[in-house]
Amino acid sequence: MVTKWIVGWGWLSRPGRGGGGGDGAQESLRHALRGLAETVGEWTFYAVVVLIAIALLRRIPYGFFRWSHRLLALGYLALVFHTLVLTEPEYWGQPIGWVLAVLLTAGTVAAVISLAGRIGRSRQVGGTVRSVTHFEPLRVVAATVELDPDWPGHRPGQFAFVTRDRNEGAHPYTIASPWDPQTRQVEFVVKALGDYTARVQRELCADTPVTVEGPYGCFDFNDDRPRQIWIGAGIGITPFIAGMKYLARHPGGPPVDLFHPTTDHDPAAIQRVAEDARAAGVRLHVSITPRDGRLTPGGIRRAVPDWREASIWFCGPTAFGQALRQDFMAHGLPTDAFHQELFQMR
Ligand SMILES: Cc1cc2nc3c(=O)[nH]c(=O)nc-3n(C[C@H](O)[C@H](O)[C@H](O)COP(=O)(O)OP(=O)(O)OC[C@H]3O[C@@H](n4cnc5c(N)ncnc54)[C@H](O)[C@@H]3O)c2cc1C
């Protein structure tokens, strides 16, 4: 668009068109479609800018973003048409054309998969909710789900998309238990953070069928540092529950300190975390914010004097994680020793 505007302002003269490389019929078809392709390209460009703005503006509700984001694939196909018509025919015999052909083909396949709603389909398995435990003061529900035999297993700390209601679609949750092929049962711990998750608290019951897609993610405690500091703030404790249950079955990893700052307090939930920590040999530091004040980077360093040797694994509010990362980097922790799970898709 910019080069077109520059020509319009008279700053550049329009370059001559290539001589065309196709036969007569091909050339006249291209000529006939040229105007349409230009219009399609221009309007799709504006639409794509709007769709990207919707994706970036977090004030726009997630449901609307998720629905509108699919239209990007349609925009991509429109731009493929634009490109095919307007690319000079001689380009297709040159490296630029070969690269373009590979990208357009791969992008078109991806766009069709997306429009057909088939993204992640090969990673979906069925499951049934077997038991539900409520932690009322936390507005949290823990659900045990038995997965169908196709589940490939997962590493502790990974997450999955769970669909209970097709109209609502999939929501991501950390799998709060390590993989056990004997029982094929996994646990999800869900906090009421919005409309749907509040409904889950009220409506979820045993025998509910669900679809689970995954596993996804690299938040898996895998590194070669001699010590680890885990920080699970609030509902951000879920990957560490899986981590502790895994360590209880596979001891011998590096020493771990787990910090669990939380605003809401439920003795039953804390007791479960404490039992998991004891079984895993993890040193647990619980801080209840209204009682103990905020967890600070200085407080963590005082509690773990050898923190310089450690990697830090953080899950919780994004801003808290960023503040911790900056502080620890400023005190000399290597950049790649700080790992942060995001409970946000945008
Ligand atoms: C990798 C990952 C792991 C997570 N693990 C857990 C967990 O173990 N326990 C837990 O309680 N929560 C977890 N969450 C957060 C959980 O997915 C959201 O709280 C939930 O989807 C909010 O839905 P809602 O409709 O109730 O809230 P809304 O009020 O509709 O949305 C609140 C925010 O949640 C996000 N959100 C809403 N719908 C979706 C969706 N379908 N997919 C992705 N994000 C969405 C949006 O950022 C939105 O701004 C995780 C999120 C991610 C990305």
Side-chain angles (χ1 to χ4, degrees), residues 102-168:
V102 170
L103 293 178
L104 293 180
T105 308
T108 301
V109 170
V112 170
I113 291 175
S114 167
L115 287 170
R118 297 198 66 86
I119 292 179
R121 191 64 71 85
S122 63
R123 286 173 170 247
Q124 288 174 0
V125 306
T128 310
V129 175
R130 288 294 173 218
S131 67
V132 174
T133 312
H134 290 271
F135 298 94
E136 302 282 355
L138 303 179
R139 289 169 296 123
V140 161
V141 65
T144 306
V145 175
E146 188 170 320
L147 296 174
D148 291 350
D150 302 344
W151 184 253
H154 58 270
R155 299 194 301 278
Q158 288 195 293
F159 72 95
F161 288 99
V162 181
T163 308
R164 180 183 64 109
D165 168 356
R166 285 223 160 272
N167 293 329
E168 172 64 31

Side-chain angles (χ1 to χ4, degrees), residues 269-332:
I270 296 291
Q271 190 182 332
R272 265 177 61 149
V273 173
E275 276 164 16
D276 284 339
R278 212 170 301 124
V282 164
R283 212 150 67 103
L284 178 66
H285 311 255
V286 174
S287 51
I288 296 153
T289 311
R291 185 190 72 192
D292 306 321
R294 282 176 171 244
L295 177 67
T296 61
I300 296 172
R301 285 192 286 271
R302 278 192 296 281
V304 188
D306 294 336
W307 62 271
R308 280 177 198 282
E309 306 180 341
S311 56
I312 298 185
W313 293 80
F314 173 87
C315 184
T318 311
F320 182 24
Q322 276 162 0
L324 282 176
R325 177 196 289 269
Q326 275 167 11
D327 193 281
F328 272 95
M329 303 285 113
H331 281 79

Side-chain angles (χ1 to χ4, degrees), residues 50-130:
V50 171
L51 290 172
I52 291 175
I54 291 174
L56 294 177
L57 295 173
R58 303 247 315 271
R59 285 201 179 167
I60 296 176
Y62 189 89
F64 182 71
F65 147 74
R66 203 173 48 163
W67 172 84
S68 67
H69 207 58
R70 287 200 169 180
L71 298 177
L72 268 180
L74 218 50
Y76 186 85
L77 293 179
L79 291 174
V80 168
F81 165 71
H82 167 88
T83 308
L84 288 177
V85 174
L86 296 179
T87 299
E88 297 299 340
E90 60 264 28
Y91 284 10
W92 298 115
Q94 301 169 14
I96 179 71
W98 306 336
V99 172
L100 210 50
V102 170
L103 293 178
L104 293 180
T105 308
T108 301
V109 170
V112 170
I113 291 175
S114 167
L115 287 170
R118 297 198 66 86
I119 292 179
R121 191 64 71 85
S122 63
R123 286 173 170 247
Q124 288 174 0
V125 306
T128 310
V129 175
R130 288 294 173 218

Side-chain angles (χ1 to χ4, degrees), residues 62 66 159 161 168 170-174 189-191 193-198 235 238 341-345:
Y62 189 89
R66 203 173 48 163
F159 72 95
F161 288 99
E168 172 64 31
H171 282 253
Y173 306 110
T174 302
V189 182
V190 178
K191 178 150 182 131
L193 292 173
D195 293 353
Y196 175 70
T197 41
I235 190 63
T238 50
E341 176 64 301
L342 298 172
F343 264 19
Q344 284 171 343
M345 280 285 151

